[in-house]
Amino acid sequence: MAGPSKSLILDPALQKYYELNANRYKYFRWTPRHAWLSFIYMAVIPGTLGYIAYKTDGKYEFRGKRREDSILEY
């Protein structure tokens, strides 16, 4: 019973993938695609959500409304 069994043999392709994933920062390079995606995720999406939140601030009220009441406050 002691010793390695056949079910514990690790797949070399998975081991290579795990190693690459653990050391991903070593292989990262800034490319135009990476820069564009980073700009989208760090500036455009939060900016758009902030703009929408700012424009609709106080416009909708969900508390104390009945079924036929409008949620618009103005």
Side-chain angles (χ1 to χ4, degrees):
M1 294 200 106
S5 69
K6 297 236 179 230
S7 64
L8 295 178
I9 295 173
L10 300 174
D11 185 13
L14 282 176
Q15 289 300 109
K16 184 178 178 181
Y17 172 74
Y18 295 148
E19 189 69 28
L20 178 69
N21 199 19
N23 296 318
R24 187 175 300 269
Y25 68 95
K26 295 178 184 176
Y27 304 105
F28 179 79
R29 291 200 171 182
W30 282 105
T31 63
R33 182 175 185 263
H34 286 142
W36 178 245
L37 286 174
S38 297
F39 175 72
I40 294 285
Y41 286 123
M42 289 189 285
V44 174
I45 292 175
T48 303
L49 290 175
Y51 176 76
I52 291 170
Y54 178 75
K55 292 305 268 184
T56 60
D57 186 33
K59 188 173 184 180
Y60 302 105
E61 182 67 43
F62 294 104
R63 294 180 136 201
K65 297 291 181 178
R66 296 197 175 138
R67 189 174 298 212
E68 292 84 19
D69 293 342
S70 174
I71 60 170
L72 292 174
E73 287 295 314
Y74 57 89

